[in-house]
Amino acid sequence: MKNIRNFSIIAHIDHGKSTLSDRLIQSTDIVAERDFKDQMLDSMDLERERGITIKSQTICLPYTAKDGHLYYLNLIDTPGHVDFSYEVSRALASCEGALLLVDASQGVQAQTIANLYLALEHDLEIIPVINKIDLPSADIEKVKLQIADELGLDPDTAILASAKDWIGTEEILEAIVTKLPPPQGNPDAPVKALIFDSHYDPFRGTVVHFRMIDGTLRPGDRIMFMSNQAEYTVEETGVFQIKRVPQKSITAGRVGYIIAGIKTVSDTRTGDTITVKKRPCEKALPGFKEPKPVVFSSIYPVDTDEYPDLAAAMDKLKLNDASLVYEKDTSAALGFGFRCGFLGLLHLEIVQARLEREYDLSLIITAPSVQYEIGLNDGTMMTIENPALYPDPVNIAYIREPYIRASIFTPDTYMGQIMQLCLERRGINTNYQYFGSNRMEMVFEMPLAEVVYDFYDRLKTVTQGYGSFDYDMLDYRQSDIVRVDILINSERVDALSQLVHKDKAPFRARQTCEKLKEEIPRHMFKVAIQGAIGGKVIARETINAYRKDVTAKCYGGDITRKRKLLEKQKKGKKRMKMAGEVMIPQSAFLSVLKSK
Ligand code: GDP
Ligand code: MG
């Protein structure tokens, strides 16, 4: 065990975690140079393109240190976004130490601090690394001050690095060996292992990623997941070295995988404890949580014929994404689709992008919503996130909505703009504190619903990219929530209904009507677009009738040209949705989701 080190790299997004991971992999000799693609760990195309790590992956790096001994360094990759902080915490619970990466020109950011706190909660040994020192804008001294003042770490221990230019790589590997403690644990004790991730393999089923705390696991063992007592027989144990490499056993202190005929990733739960049926451990590991979606939205195929394809794609995605929840949904305007729950907005975007790209579907996504608690006059309580299920207001006693604690990290010059943005979003400024001379953390309590609606983009805009943001769920608070309906020629379009705070309703209704006016083409008749609460109209736009016949100019002319035109219109119509007699293009449904 003394030649094993388990570590993570934690950093704010874009500070160079993936690039550094690549360098560490390349410095150890498990990958032939010609096989190497940049950012080896970010394997999905989407991740590569957006440069974000969605699915964490693990890799076991054999490394011969300067002391002449061979070490196995287990790099446990963590997802780099607030939506996935639970997954990050489970990955960190599997480590003894972490590299804390700080961009030499950007300095310490919100997720640097949030991730450091998570790491300290797990008593991890921290090695600070200042990355991107090759940049002309690098300010090493300033970052060292921040490391001391804002992170409370010893700046003299910070390693100066450029993952891009291979500076500091060797020093980092040596520091992992010499500064991080080896794992502890008893290989002969009852099996106790922590699941920190899982992924789906079409041939073998679910591959469970875990850290052995105590005991030894071997093929043939009858295992049990402690949260739900589900039992399986281990078929294969092994470690990840880019590819899966089977091993005869995995002993205490090590990180590896098991394959055990588990059909979907939903049958395993991140944070759960694996034990052996015959000789179980006494207590599960602490910290297990069920995945809990916080943002909800419906997904429909643009072309209603594509519903079976969407259904098949959802089932496949679910195999690999235990936190995605969904059920069938129908809409008068959009036909069959799915009501889905996500961990956050980024998670929603990822699912949408994967469905469109990997399964070649074009989709309509309805406005994201949070989950509300509604107390009815008869004393019963219901939770809803789907505007369609909003009860008759006369029966409602009260409504409560989820609140978050938002932490914004920013240069103090943007304090005024941030204050204004958060107050507009119904935030309450509960705290602020200075870090160093001109950087600060501002803390707000605000409704999750206000963050779901393009908050992050606006924050980036008002702080010119320097502000960063992190949040935790707080509680539910009483609030005045109404349903805004959109009527097109007096017909309610269910997919456009939204639950919003009463004070925001007139603005949101007006904005939606204006956007629809831009997107809906002219018809042979006048089209009235209205926003309403209950029966009361609070916003209105009109599209005047279109007089000319589009094919008129072809009459007497080329018949094939006319046919082409009609053909084109027919194709266009497939991408249109009908509300009564009115055609609404797909783009209209999408445009109402964006604020400006
Ligand atoms: P992650 O989000 O933390 O995984 O960051 P990435 O590794 O994807 O890096 C973000 C961006 O910074 C990419 O464009 C990298 O090429 C770039 N980058 C990473 N390390 C360095 C470095 O040491 N120097 C410079 N100049 N750029 C770097
Ligand atoms: Mg990355």
Side-chain angles (χ1 to χ4, degrees):
M1 231 180 298
K2 66 182 197 314
N3 65 340
I4 295 172
R5 298 290 181 276
N6 299 311
F7 72 104
S8 274
I9 306 177
I10 54 181
H12 191 73
I13 198 153
D14 280 346
H15 283 199
K17 193 176 74 169
S18 299
T19 314
L20 179 63
S21 305
D22 290 349
R23 294 301 167 260
L24 299 181
I25 295 167
Q26 284 165 309
S27 307
T28 54
D29 43 29
I30 61 166
V31 182
E33 200 73 31
R34 69 191 145 79
D35 288 345
F36 198 84
K37 282 189 256 169
D38 266 355
Q39 311 215 335
M40 208 69 216
L41 292 185
D42 293 351
S43 57
M44 287 194 283
D45 278 354
L46 184 66
E47 293 186 18
R48 210 176 282 279
E49 192 166 298
R50 299 194 41 165
I52 49 172
T53 308
I54 298 162
K55 210 68 193 131
S56 52
Q57 294 191 27
T58 305
I59 190 157
C60 176
L61 305 168
Y63 171 67
T64 306
K66 287 202 177 121
D67 65 9
H69 294 293
L70 176 65
Y71 290 86
Y72 291 96
L73 313 181
N74 292 308
L75 166 54
I76 298 172
D77 198 16
T78 56
H81 191 276
V82 285
D83 286 3
F84 303 101
S85 60
Y86 175 64
E87 283 71 12
V88 176
S89 83
R90 294 306 88 199
L92 293 179
S94 309
C95 300
E96 277 74 38
L99 302 174
L100 178 74
L101 211 57
V102 184
D103 184 316
S105 72
Q106 296 280 314
V108 168
Q109 298 285 318
Q111 280 151 28
T112 318
I113 294 188
N115 284 324
L116 174 65
Y117 285 167
L118 279 177
L120 293 177
E121 268 173 40
H122 293 101
D123 289 328
L124 301 196
E125 189 67 35
I126 310 288
I127 302 172
V129 176
I130 302 177
N131 188 34
K132 307 200 191 182
I133 59 165
D134 60 287
L135 287 176
S137 55
D139 189 342
I140 295 168
E141 286 316 307
K142 195 166 129 195
V143 175
K144 279 194 170 174
L145 271 179
Q146 291 176 350
I147 287 177
D149 291 355
E150 303 174 21
L151 306 180
L153 300 171
D154 180 359
D156 295 332
T157 62
I159 299 173
L160 303 184
S162 163
K164 181 169 153 262
D165 293 347
W166 289 84
I167 300 170
T169 316
E170 188 77 22
E171 206 183 328
I172 291 169
L173 287 165
E174 285 297 318
I176 292 168
V177 168
T178 57
K179 295 208 173 132
L180 302 187
Q184 292 178 339
N186 178 358
D188 301 318
V191 165
K192 186 187 253 187
L194 172 65
I195 300 179
F196 61 84
D197 196 13
S198 56
H199 77 267
Y200 182 72
D201 179 290
F203 303 107
R204 306 294 305 273
T206 301
V207 180
V208 180
H209 307 211
F210 70 97
R211 156 73 194 263
M212 275 316 272
I213 306 294
D214 282 321
T216 302
L217 266 181
R218 297 177 185 84
D221 286 341
R222 186 75 181 161
I223 53 164
M224 187 173 79
F225 295 147
M226 291 186 78
S227 75
N228 59 0
Q229 317 287 309
E231 289 178 29
Y232 299 93
T233 300
V234 176
E235 293 166 8
E236 182 178 313
T237 52
V239 298
F240 296 101
Q241 291 189 320
I242 310 244
K243 293 189 196 76
R244 290 197 299 264
V245 181
Q247 307 274 309
K248 282 198 212 79
S249 67
I250 302 288
T251 53
R254 303 192 67 184
V255 169
Y257 70 86
I258 51 167
I259 293 172
I262 304 166
K263 290 215 181 60
T264 80
V265 289
S266 311
D267 295 330
T268 62
R269 292 153 192 216
T270 296
D272 203 353
T273 305
I274 308 173
T275 193
V276 164
K277 175 79 172 153
K278 212 164 54 193
R279 195 177 153 227
C281 62
E282 264 175 32
K283 244 176 44 195
L285 293 157
F288 171 69
K289 280 196 248 167
E290 297 275 350
K292 194 166 169 278
V294 293
V295 173
F296 301 83
S297 169
S298 295
I299 298 182
Y300 299 95
V302 170
D303 182 345
T304 43
D305 295 346
E306 277 189 349
Y307 174 76
D309 299 336
L310 174 62
M314 293 293 291
D315 285 345
K316 278 209 191 120
L317 260 194
K318 176 74 188 166
L319 290 175
N320 233 327
D321 185 349
S323 31
L324 171 68
V325 296
Y326 63 91
E327 58 188 32
K328 258 192 194 162
D329 195 16
T330 59
S331 148
L334 301 177
F336 288 110
F338 293 97
R339 187 74 188 167
C340 308
F342 307 94
L343 295 175
L345 269 193
L346 179 79
H347 187 209
L348 183 161
E349 264 185 60
I350 291 165
V351 169
Q352 176 186 4
R354 292 189 63 188
L355 286 171
E356 290 184 339
R357 194 166 314 178
E358 293 168 30
Y359 299 93
D360 197 26
L361 296 162
S362 25
L363 303 170
I364 291 172
I365 316 278
T366 62
S369 169
V370 301
Q371 195 160 44
Y372 296 95
E373 293 180 352
I374 302 185
L376 298 173
N377 288 328
D378 65 8
T380 55
M381 236 250 314
M382 61 192 286
T383 56
I384 65 159
E385 33 73 18
N386 191 342
L389 302 178
Y390 184 80
D392 186 338
V394 300
N395 296 327
I396 296 176
Y398 65 87
I399 301 187
R400 298 195 306 186
E401 67 176 322
Y403 266 66
I404 58 165
R405 177 186 177 281
S407 156
I408 295 163
F409 211 69
T410 178
D412 61 359
T413 34
Y414 304 111
M415 183 181 181
Q417 287 96 312
I418 291 173
M419 189 65 91
Q420 195 186 343
L421 171 67
C422 292
L423 293 182
E424 264 169 33
R425 302 294 174 111
R426 298 188 282 136
I428 306 157
N429 182 214
T430 51
N431 195 8
Y432 62 89
Q433 74 188 103
Y434 269 89
F435 285 105
S437 55
N438 54 10
R439 294 162 57 78
M440 63 189 306
E441 182 195 25
M442 301 176 75
V443 178
F444 292 86
E445 292 181 3
M446 52 200 250
L448 176 64
E450 298 286 343
V451 172
V452 159
Y453 193 64
D454 90 332
F455 175 78
Y456 198 53
D457 288 343
R458 295 272 296 127
L459 178 69
K460 283 280 168 208
T461 309
V462 302
T463 62
Q464 302 181 324
Y466 287 107
S468 52
F469 161 73
D470 197 14
Y471 74 89
D472 300 309
M473 298 300 290
L474 266 184
D475 48 19
Y476 274 74
R477 297 186 188 174
Q478 200 147 325
S479 189
D480 221 341
I481 303 295
V482 295
R483 187 175 77 187
V484 172
D485 291 323
I486 300 297
L487 312 174
I488 298 200
N489 279 359
S490 306
E491 192 157 326
R492 185 164 78 85
V493 182
D494 54 4
L496 291 174
S497 292
Q498 299 172 53
L499 298 173
V500 291
H501 189 263
K502 195 165 147 242
D503 295 345
K504 298 281 174 82
F507 171 75
R508 196 70 77 81
R510 206 163 52 236
Q511 201 184 38
T512 308
C513 290
E514 280 167 11
K515 288 226 169 99
L516 289 172
K517 182 180 179 178
E518 283 168 24
E519 296 286 339
I520 296 175
R522 288 189 174 201
H523 285 66
M524 302 298 283
F525 46 85
K526 200 153 110 181
V527 176
I529 306 166
Q530 295 172 311
I533 299 175
K536 193 167 150 249
V537 173
I538 54 172
R540 180 193 310 269
E541 294 286 339
T542 309
I543 302 171
N544 286 323
Y546 189 62
R547 289 205 190 88
K548 266 190 228 140
D549 182 340
V550 266
T551 58
K553 57 177 174 287
C554 302
Y555 280 144
D558 183 350
I559 184 72
T560 56
R561 203 170 133 220
K562 183 181 173 190
R563 195 175 296 137
K564 263 194 196 141
L565 190 58
L566 288 172
E567 201 64 34
K568 207 167 134 206
Q569 281 180 332
K570 213 165 109 201
K571 256 213 187 111
K573 263 185 202 152
K574 261 200 147 170
R575 299 184 76 90
M576 299 270 189
K577 295 295 170 185
M578 302 301 292
E581 295 288 290
V582 182
M583 289 188 299
I584 310 174
Q586 176 203 20
S587 57
F589 288 93
L590 299 178
S591 75
V592 300
L593 298 185
K594 308 222 167 68
S595 74
K596 263 183 208 111

